[in-house]
Amino acid sequence: MAADQLSLVFGALADPTRRAILLRLSRGDATVAELAAPFDVSQPAISRHLRVLENAGLISRTRRATARLSHLQAGPLREVTTWLARYQRFWDESHERLDDLLAALQGDTKIDPGRASAAQGEE
Amino acid sequence: MAKTQITAEPGIPQVIIAREFDAPRELVFRAHTDPELLVQWLGPRDCTMTIDYYNARDGGTWRYVSKDSQGNEYGFRGVYHGNPTPDATARTFEFEGMPGHVGLETLTMQERDGRTLVRAVSSFQSLEDRDGMVASGMERGVHDSHERLAELLTTLWAG
């Protein structure tokens, strides 16, 4: 995905209502009325959110009889969440390892008694 | 259990990482500046970290290389500006896969009741730099289902 497209997706995802709409669409296609139901906002307001999501390539819209259905487009979502998931995982794992190290440095043997006593034996 | 909070605001070329540790800040600071300690925790478990050099002092240079399980190597390097302290650490960083796209990282540590809050702000020259460096520097295959994606979204943008 081009960087400007990534920024467009980020912009669309910055709003909590739009993220909730995507979450709902991940369970299946829905009409504007269905999407508006859980929120304290008007259908025109939901329609504006849908236009932003459509513009970012995150959803597509089709007609079923008189109702307009929204459909989640997973591609751009996957790219941006993969981007964040990688970064999140890098730091989550690093910081969990740092937790263990800090505990060991403070003589907390609860974390790994085997390793701690082995280290003491070497000293 | 403390969780690492990552904030990447749309339209702002920054990434902010915040995390609380159950240790006094002098120790947390040492773990960030002493290469012998740093090598023990930096990077995911399935990557091998090699610290080439790490001189945490005014004008001191640093470089490390992270190697993933497929054998891909990612080098990062930079220079410290001013002597690092727990109150303020400033240094440049550059992903060697994108030479010339140098960023600035500031690190602050606050202690309260024996616990330490670490806040790292990485500022990039552009949104493209931010997205490009993070994407290429930490490449790995992540294939999620629709539901997992949506869950991730709610977690990452929580609050």
Side-chain angles (χ1 to χ4, degrees), chain A residues 81 86 93-95 97 99, chain B residues 4 19 43 45 138 149:
Chain A
T81 50
R86 271 187 215 130
E93 284 199 25
S94 294
H95 287 157
R97 294 173 68 196
D99 279 337
Chain B
T4 303
R19 178 63 143 78
R45 290 183 184 88
M138 285 153 205
L149 287 172

Side-chain angles (χ1 to χ4, degrees), chain A residues 55-72:
Chain A
N55 193 36
L58 288 165
I59 64 165
S60 61
R61 289 195 282 178
T62 53
R63 284 197 181 279
R64 182 183 64 186
T66 53
R68 208 163 175 208
L69 276 184
S70 292
H71 174 77
L72 181 71

Side-chain angles (χ1 to χ4, degrees), chain A residues 3-4 6-7 10-11 13-14 16 19 22-23 25-27 71-74 77-103 105-106, chain B residues 1 3-4 6 8 10 15 17 19 21-24 27-28 31-32 37 39-46 127-128 130-131 134-135 138-140 142 144 146-147 149-154 156-157 159:
Chain A
D4 54 345
L6 196 60
S7 294
F10 264 111
L13 295 173
R19 293 198 299 274
L22 291 176
L23 190 62
L25 290 176
S26 73
R27 294 194 291 270
H71 174 77
L72 181 71
Q73 295 289 337
L77 194 55
R78 175 169 292 123
E79 290 212 27
V80 75
T81 50
T82 299
W83 180 93
L84 275 168
R86 271 187 215 130
Y87 204 64
Q88 183 83 41
R89 209 197 119 197
F90 182 94
W91 289 108
D92 274 347
E93 284 199 25
S94 294
H95 287 157
E96 282 167 20
R97 294 173 68 196
L98 180 52
D99 279 337
D100 292 350
L101 176 64
L102 290 168
L105 290 170
Q106 292 179 98
Chain B
M1 161 102 185
K3 180 102 168 56
T4 303
I6 295 181
V15 176
I17 302 175
R19 178 63 143 78
F21 295 97
D22 186 15
L27 195 61
V28 178
H32 278 80
L37 295 183
V39 74
Q40 294 181 51
W41 66 267
L42 188 64
R45 290 183 184 88
D46 61 358
L127 288 170
E128 288 76 11
R130 179 189 72 177
D131 301 342
V134 175
M138 285 153 205
E139 196 66 51
R140 66 180 68 244
V142 180
D144 290 295
H146 269 202
E147 292 75 15
L149 287 172
E151 275 171 32
L152 263 173
L153 274 179
T154 48
L156 292 168
W157 271 276

Side-chain angles (χ1 to χ4, degrees), chain B residues 9 17-18 20 22 49 59 66 89 92 96 101 105 113 122 128 145 152 156:
Chain B
E9 294 281 346
I17 302 175
E20 195 174 67
D22 186 15
M49 181 63 71
S66 176
T89 295
T92 58
E96 292 179 352
H101 296 259
E105 183 186 85
D113 302 327
S122 296
E128 288 76 11
S145 67
L152 263 173
L156 292 168

